[in-house]
Amino acid sequence: GAGVSQSPSNKVTEKGKDVELRCDPISGHTALYWYRQRLGQGLEFLIYFQGNSAPDKSGLPSDRFSAERTGESVSTLTIQRTQQEDSAVYLCASTPVPSSYNEQFFGPGTRLTVL
Amino acid sequence: GDSVTQMEGPVTLSEEAFLTINCTYTATGYPSLFWYVQYPGEGLQLLLKATKADDKGSNKGFEATYRKETTSFHLEKGSVQVSDSAVYFCALSGSYNTDKLIFGTGTRLQVFP
């Protein structure tokens, strides 16, 4: 079956513009996670969805960042009024059920560059 | 809060050399521990995991043992190959009733023939 997919693969935008990043998890996976990786740093957790609700949003860095998930499937991460420090690779992961024992399956990422 | 510290890279080795990448963690509770790998041009994928103290995870010749007494999960391989060149990430999950992964900064391994 298909893995986690993300679009676009690359996005270049100007400072101050809004961007939307999309994640399609593996079919049937109820848990979905967003992470970001800034250059030279590890992955930072952003937000976690269980079904369509987000019980853990603790990693969202500011109120410019928001995310939603619909139909227990596709998720969209929106960054408003982008800043240069938002430049990073944004990764999405999914897992069949939420569990600390389970492998998370990662998508290829969206590389965001804010000029 | 919870955190993962791993050795900085790049680690440069000749083929068939022994590999150790150190990883230590800080966590309350009983986290699960993971090594993820990112090969050039590919996405992040699980290499191995251990879910309780003294467990050993292994895959593709790599091993790591969950040491609660030293809060460590060092990655080892007896004989590396050029194809092992990648970035390796240590991570933990499961503290504070959350399943998010907390990652180290990653270690780049370069293996030369």
Side-chain angles (χ1 to χ4, degrees):
Chain A
V4 177
S5 61
Q6 293 185 244
S7 61
S9 55
N10 278 284
K11 176 72 176 178
V12 180
T13 191
E14 294 180 348
K15 178 181 172 181
K17 301 282 191 184
D18 297 351
V19 296
E20 284 190 352
L21 312 180
R22 177 187 168 107
C23 171
D24 282 89
I26 294 172
S27 178
H29 282 196
T30 64
L32 185 149
Y33 306 80
W34 283 97
Y35 298 88
R36 76 174 176 181
Q37 184 177 21
R38 288 186 283 189
L39 190 63
Q41 301 184 25
L43 283 79
E44 306 169 75
F45 167 78
L46 296 178
I47 187 170
Y48 155 58
F49 285 93
Q50 171 52 34
N52 292 338
S53 63
D56 189 353
K57 306 179 184 180
S58 61
L60 294 178
S62 76
D63 58 8
R64 296 186 295 105
F65 287 72
S66 63
E68 65 175 14
R69 188 178 184 195
T70 57
E72 296 197 351
S73 181
V74 172
S75 176
T76 303
L77 177 69
T78 301
I79 309 173
Q80 295 180 309
R81 305 182 301 282
T82 52
Q83 303 295 310
Q84 289 183 333
E85 63 263 27
D86 300 333
S87 295
V89 177
Y90 290 82
L91 291 167
C92 174
S94 70
T95 192
V97 293
S99 168
S100 62
Y101 302 132
N102 284 347
E103 170 185 4
Q104 292 186 15
F105 295 85
F106 283 82
T110 294
R111 181 176 299 276
L112 174 66
T113 303
V114 182
L115 301 176
Chain B
D2 296 351
S3 66
V4 174
T5 302
Q6 61 181 107
M7 63 189 290
E8 293 187 14
V11 173
T12 303
L13 294 173
S14 297
E15 207 165 24
E16 299 184 2
F18 184 86
L19 168 70
T20 300
I21 300 178
N22 290 337
C23 172
T24 57
Y25 68 91
T26 301
T28 58
Y30 304 94
S32 296
L33 300 174
F34 303 82
W35 278 99
Y36 280 81
V37 60
Q38 189 168 35
Y39 297 103
E42 298 185 19
L44 202 63
Q45 57 187 276
L46 178 69
L47 179 61
L48 54 84
K49 69 178 183 182
T51 58
K52 62 182 188 295
D54 299 325
D55 268 4
K56 178 186 285 187
S58 61
N59 186 25
K60 299 182 180 181
F62 290 88
E63 293 182 338
T65 301
Y66 188 162
R67 301 285 188 199
K68 189 169 171 60
E69 64 275 13
T70 54
T71 62
S72 65
F73 192 55
H74 304 320
L75 183 67
E76 297 182 335
K77 186 174 185 182
S79 176
V80 293
Q81 305 300 310
V82 172
S83 57
D84 293 327
S85 298
V87 181
Y88 293 81
F89 294 91
C90 185
L92 68 81
S93 173
S95 281
Y96 295 123
N97 297 316
T98 179
D99 303 312
K100 65 187 179 188
L101 288 168
I102 296 172
F103 285 89
T105 53
T107 302
R108 181 176 298 279
L109 170 65
Q110 296 175 321
V111 181
F112 292 96

